[in-house]
Amino acid sequence: MPVTGIKVPHYDEEGNLLMVFEASSAKRSGENTIDIEGLKLEAVDEDGKKVLVEMPRSVFNLDTKVITGDNTASIRREDLSVSADQLHFDTNTRNGKLLGNIKMVVSTDQAFK
């Protein structure tokens, strides 16, 4: 039975919001995996800019804390937009790896201010 309308904030030790994890639905698919539909991760990067990561379908590994998007994933920030066939996102380190066909658009209006 899937759970719908999920919204989970993640904070650091000082209580600062690091990221918000949202999904339209999620259900356990194995002993250590969760299938997720409509995933949105909103975080703030080192420069203080908001970053939005979206994956229509993904799998979260409870042991490694890695989210793997198995189809088109997108990452947006005010000065860039990136899409890829796959995205592996480590929620511990907040680092991602893009795979497959990758397209990146940089807005020069904002990127060099």
Side-chain angles (χ1 to χ4, degrees), residues 1-111:
M1 182 76 135
V3 176
T4 59
I6 301 162
K7 186 172 185 176
V8 180
H10 292 272
Y11 299 92
D12 66 13
E13 296 81 30
E14 290 84 40
N16 299 311
L17 182 64
L18 294 176
M19 87 176 97
V20 177
F21 174 101
E22 290 185 59
S24 56
S25 70
K27 71 176 185 174
R28 194 147 207 155
S29 57
E31 189 171 312
N32 65 347
T33 56
I34 298 173
D35 287 342
I36 302 169
E37 298 286 330
L39 175 65
K40 293 181 183 179
L41 290 170
E42 187 174 308
V44 177
D45 68 9
E46 298 82 24
D47 299 330
K49 295 179 181 177
K50 284 188 180 182
V51 178
L52 179 63
V53 178
E54 294 180 289
M55 290 182 264
R57 289 192 316 267
S58 56
V59 176
F60 181 61
N61 184 303
L62 295 166
D63 294 333
T64 64
K65 305 294 189 242
V66 173
I67 300 169
T68 304
D70 64 354
N71 59 357
T72 304
S74 67
I75 301 170
R76 289 181 305 201
R77 198 172 73 173
E78 67 184 41
D79 58 349
L80 68 91
S81 174
V82 182
S83 62
D85 291 339
Q86 291 185 18
L87 172 64
H88 297 260
F89 183 77
D90 187 328
T91 61
N92 293 312
T93 63
R94 294 175 46 194
N95 288 317
K97 179 179 176 181
L98 299 165
L99 303 167
N101 295 313
I102 299 168
K103 179 181 178 183
M104 182 165 122
V105 177
V106 177
S107 171
T108 57
D109 293 340
Q110 295 293 321

